[in-house]
Amino acid sequence: MTLLGGYDPDAGRNAHKADKPTLIPLPSLLRSLLSEHLDPGYAAAAEAKAAGKRRAWWQAWAWQLAGAMMIAVVFAAAMAQARTTAPGMRETQQVLAGSVRSAETTTDTLAQRRDALAAEVDTVRRSRLEGDALGQQLLGQLDEANHAAAATEVDGPGLSLTVTDPGVSADLSDVSKGRVPGSQQVILDRDLQLVVNSLWVSGAEAISVGGVRIGPNVTIRQAGGGILVDNQPISSPYVINAIGPPHAMQDVLDRSPGLQRLRLLEASYGVGVGVSATDTMTLPAGSVREVNFARQFER
């Protein structure tokens, strides 16, 4: 007879005794189900996972510490280098600023000398040509050419437009943002070009933008965040003066694409637009460049 025994491997009786039952040491299924809720393999796997997590946590902490130390070393080296190079950079900036101021002074001096020589040449030319009828005729043609080339100072009644960028606004909505990404600038070179062309169409005889006379070979273009008129930087507020019949010019300008564009920018971005008529204004003479090549177009 064979009976199921317990867990003790020595629970079986001596097999040499006759007629004695032998107990086989097998676990009780019912006892194991009641006493052991999880398979031993699950417990071993859980212990291994916990040990792995502990090791992973220590490794992650070590890597984070090493990364923080490396970042601190890099920042310390950068600060040391910045402190070392700061005096040299300030000195270089001062030298460059001094060079710019010196160049500006030289340019202004040369421009004044150029204007003085041009006036002297005009005086001598008039004294030589005013003596006879042919000379007077030539002087009249020269005056017309100089006026068309914006080479003479003019004065008279006209219109004055003042266009102001809205600048930095407390409102961060899309309306207050600039048309140039990352900039508060709203007025661009093409806006001023359109206004100048509209003024010519409205009957203007002479125009200046930001104090710079508009004439042949004079451009209005964008240079980064600034606007250059004849390679001279101008900034907001942009003042555009035009000599001509004020009321007739304003009637045409009110319906022109240039002023309509400004009104749209005024409503959308808060650009300041002011138009006023004046009885007298003076526009400076523009710079005259030598013409190396020219061709007359047939109409």
Side-chain angles (χ1 to χ4, degrees), residues 180-268:
V180 179
S183 172
Q184 292 294 334
Q185 184 180 14
V186 174
I187 301 300
L188 304 180
D189 53 354
R190 57 178 177 266
D191 303 321
L192 300 182
Q193 293 170 6
L194 188 58
V195 172
V196 168
N197 290 334
S198 298
L199 286 171
W200 287 126
V201 172
S202 65
E205 300 175 4
I207 300 175
S208 69
V209 178
V212 181
R213 183 76 175 274
I214 303 298
N217 299 324
V218 174
T219 59
I220 302 174
R221 60 187 182 89
Q222 197 83 20
I227 296 179
L228 301 180
V229 180
D230 198 18
N231 292 326
Q232 300 184 36
I234 63 173
S235 59
S236 177
Y238 307 102
V239 179
I240 306 173
N241 292 326
I243 289 181
H247 300 292
M249 289 173 57
Q250 189 161 6
D251 291 340
V252 179
L253 185 65
D254 289 339
R255 302 185 301 271
S256 66
L259 192 59
Q260 290 178 2
R261 169 80 68 86
L262 293 182
R263 295 303 183 191
L264 178 61
L265 295 178
E266 182 181 24
S268 302

Side-chain angles (χ1 to χ4, degrees), residues 14-237:
N14 191 351
H16 296 288
K17 294 181 180 182
D19 299 329
K20 298 292 183 181
T22 301
L23 299 179
I24 300 175
L26 295 176
S28 173
L29 178 60
L30 181 58
R31 185 188 304 169
S32 64
L33 289 176
L34 294 175
S35 60
E36 298 178 7
H37 302 287
L38 293 176
D39 188 89
Y42 285 103
E47 291 179 0
K49 186 176 181 181
K53 285 185 176 180
R54 286 193 295 269
R55 287 194 299 270
W57 183 84
W58 281 102
Q59 290 176 357
W61 185 84
W63 279 112
Q64 290 177 1
L65 181 61
M69 293 179 62
M70 185 176 296
I71 292 174
V73 170
V74 171
F75 272 100
M79 290 179 63
Q81 184 177 6
R83 290 175 181 174
T84 303
T85 58
M89 293 180 61
R90 284 195 296 269
E91 183 178 355
T92 303
Q93 291 175 353
Q94 292 176 358
V95 171
L96 292 176
S99 299
V100 171
R101 287 192 292 268
S102 177
E104 289 178 347
T105 302
T106 303
T107 301
D108 294 340
T109 302
L110 293 176
Q112 293 175 1
R113 179 170 175 77
R114 178 203 61 195
D115 296 339
L117 292 175
E120 184 178 350
V121 169
D122 184 69
T123 301
V124 173
R125 180 171 54 201
R126 289 187 177 278
S127 63
R128 296 290 182 87
L129 295 178
E130 286 178 347
D132 53 17
L134 181 59
Q136 293 177 0
Q137 182 180 359
L138 291 175
L139 282 177
Q141 295 175 356
L142 286 174
D143 290 340
E144 292 179 0
N146 286 332
H147 180 74
T152 57
E153 181 181 286
V154 294
D155 54 21
L159 288 179
S160 179
L161 282 79
T162 302
V163 184
T164 307
D165 259 322
V168 179
S169 174
D171 183 12
L172 298 180
S173 64
D174 292 337
V175 174
S176 64
K177 293 180 181 178
R179 297 164 68 194
V180 179
S183 172
Q184 292 294 334
Q185 184 180 14
V186 174
I187 301 300
L188 304 180
D189 53 354
R190 57 178 177 266
D191 303 321
L192 300 182
Q193 293 170 6
L194 188 58
V195 172
V196 168
N197 290 334
S198 298
L199 286 171
W200 287 126
V201 172
S202 65
E205 300 175 4
I207 300 175
S208 69
V209 178
V212 181
R213 183 76 175 274
I214 303 298
N217 299 324
V218 174
T219 59
I220 302 174
R221 60 187 182 89
Q222 197 83 20
I227 296 179
L228 301 180
V229 180
D230 198 18
N231 292 326
Q232 300 184 36
I234 63 173
S235 59
S236 177

